[in-house]
Amino acid sequence: MDVLINEVGPRDGLQNQLPILDLDQRLALIDRLLEAGLPRIEIGSFVSPRAVPQMAGTDRLAAQLRVRPGVEVSALIPNMKGYELALGAGIRTVALVVSVTESMNQKNIRMSVDQVMDIARQVIELGRDDDVRVSAYLAVAFECPFEGQVDPGRVADLAAELLGAGAAELVIADTIGAGNPAQVSALMTRLAQAHGPDVLACHFHDTRALGLANVYAALECGIRRFDSAIGGLGGCPFAPGAKGNVATEDVVMLCEQLGFRTGIRMEGLLSAVTLVSDLLGNEYGGRAYSWLKQQAA
């Protein structure tokens, strides 16, 4: 495949949703995504079930998965305890988030940037010993809901530290959907020139209807790895009005119309969107969802 899509619907997409899906429902959704040919799926997170009840039982979920060869599953971890729980559940790829601004880190996990970076370095080092792949995220990389516009130089400095520590991948996350294509082009060009595009990925939200345009801008910079969520699931509790992730079906459509191969079956994706809409009792779908359904009919 030419473009690697990491489906984050089962974690980032569901973590703020009501009703809360049970394990069987979450497993059914992941199975539907596997049938669609998703090469990477973020299945959940190892966080406190009191804080995020939507993600309770991710260890039991992992034990029941029937993953095809060549498919990579991952889970979000907030700290060292989360890493240990993920390791115990057999997860071989973990995602660790560092917010670029102090305010976002404090609001989200009540730690400073320096404290989170210390944890990140420890997890990356353990990952090398345990043969666990660590994907490091830089959240609010373009704008923070508390501090406003983010200095690209600060993002570049933290990126260099995380990649220098040995992170397998660096994901630039527009957590509140505030970035625009010009900003994306400038930042991703800078990072690609410094580190090469192969270790970089992007995570966009669609708050200002620019998610897909930002994917295109990143593609033009040589980025070939993207997070997305079926149906545009997701949102940020710290950003009033923030929409969900850029929809997987939209990203696949864009990439394949541009001539890139994703290895993902659109019919299967649309089936997964239908399933999650039924499970949550709400209509979901990306910007091209209605048109894509018509084409598949």
Side-chain angles (χ1 to χ4, degrees):
M1 68 190 71
D2 301 318
V3 172
L4 180 66
I5 305 293
N6 179 37
E7 172 60 52
V8 300
R11 196 281 300 176
D12 193 26
L14 294 180
Q15 67 178 1
N16 296 312
Q17 299 291 335
L18 293 174
I20 297 173
L21 302 188
D22 61 32
L23 283 184
D24 287 341
Q25 292 171 320
R26 289 164 63 191
L27 184 63
L29 176 59
I30 294 170
D31 282 343
R32 191 71 61 91
L33 293 167
L34 289 169
E35 290 170 5
L38 269 301
R40 287 177 62 177
I41 302 175
E42 188 179 49
I43 64 167
S45 60
F46 289 89
V47 296
S48 167
R50 293 187 301 276
V52 189
Q54 292 89 339
M55 294 292 102
T58 295
D59 55 340
R60 288 178 283 137
L61 179 70
Q64 297 179 57
L65 285 177
R66 299 180 295 275
V67 179
R68 295 165 174 78
V71 175
E72 183 178 13
V73 298
S74 67
L76 177 76
I77 60 165
N79 49 35
M80 195 62 67
K81 181 180 179 181
Y83 174 82
E84 292 167 355
L85 291 172
L87 188 65
I91 300 295
R92 311 310 301 174
T93 299
V94 297
L96 183 68
V97 179
V98 179
S99 292
V100 177
T101 66
E102 291 290 345
S103 298
M104 191 65 174
N105 276 300
Q106 292 291 348
K107 292 284 187 179
N108 196 22
I109 54 177
R110 298 179 183 175
M111 285 191 279
S112 68
V113 174
D114 287 343
Q115 287 173 313
V116 182
M117 286 294 289
D118 284 341
I119 291 171
R121 283 186 282 266
Q122 293 173 43
V123 168
I124 291 168
E125 184 176 351
L126 281 175
R128 281 198 296 267
D129 295 337
D130 297 328
D131 194 26
V132 171
R133 186 175 179 275
V134 179
S135 183
Y137 281 67
L138 284 176
V140 293
F142 296 95
E143 185 173 321
C144 172
F146 308 107
E147 298 185 21
Q149 291 288 318
V150 171
D151 177 11
R154 177 62 170 158
V155 178
D157 290 344
L158 291 173
E161 286 188 48
L162 289 166
L163 289 170
E169 176 182 63
L170 181 79
V171 186
I172 298 300
D174 184 14
T175 311
I176 64 171
N180 63 58
Q183 292 172 311
V184 170
S185 180
L187 180 59
M188 299 316 297
T189 296
R190 178 175 182 170
L191 295 177
Q193 288 175 345
H195 308 289
D198 292 345
V199 295
L200 302 173
C202 288
H203 176 115
F204 295 119
H205 286 242
D206 205 30
T207 305
R208 304 182 189 183
L210 292 174
L212 209 56
N214 288 336
V215 171
Y216 181 79
L219 283 168
E220 290 286 278
C221 299
I223 308 304
R224 298 293 181 264
R225 300 182 189 182
F226 296 93
D227 285 2
S228 60
I230 52 164
L233 285 170
C236 177
F238 302 111
K243 299 295 183 183
N245 294 272
V246 63
T248 304
E249 59 270 25
D250 286 347
V251 176
V252 170
M253 178 196 69
L254 172 67
C255 290
E256 297 196 345
Q257 287 194 2
L258 292 173
F260 297 107
R261 294 173 296 116
T262 66
I264 299 170
R265 294 183 290 279
M266 181 60 73
E267 193 170 319
L269 271 186
L270 299 177
S271 175
V273 176
T274 299
L275 175 60
V276 80
S277 296
D278 290 343
L279 290 174
L280 293 173
N282 199 1
E283 287 295 322
Y284 289 94
R287 297 188 177 278
Y289 179 71
S290 296
W291 181 81
L292 290 167
K293 286 283 285 185
Q294 290 177 348
Q295 301 308 300

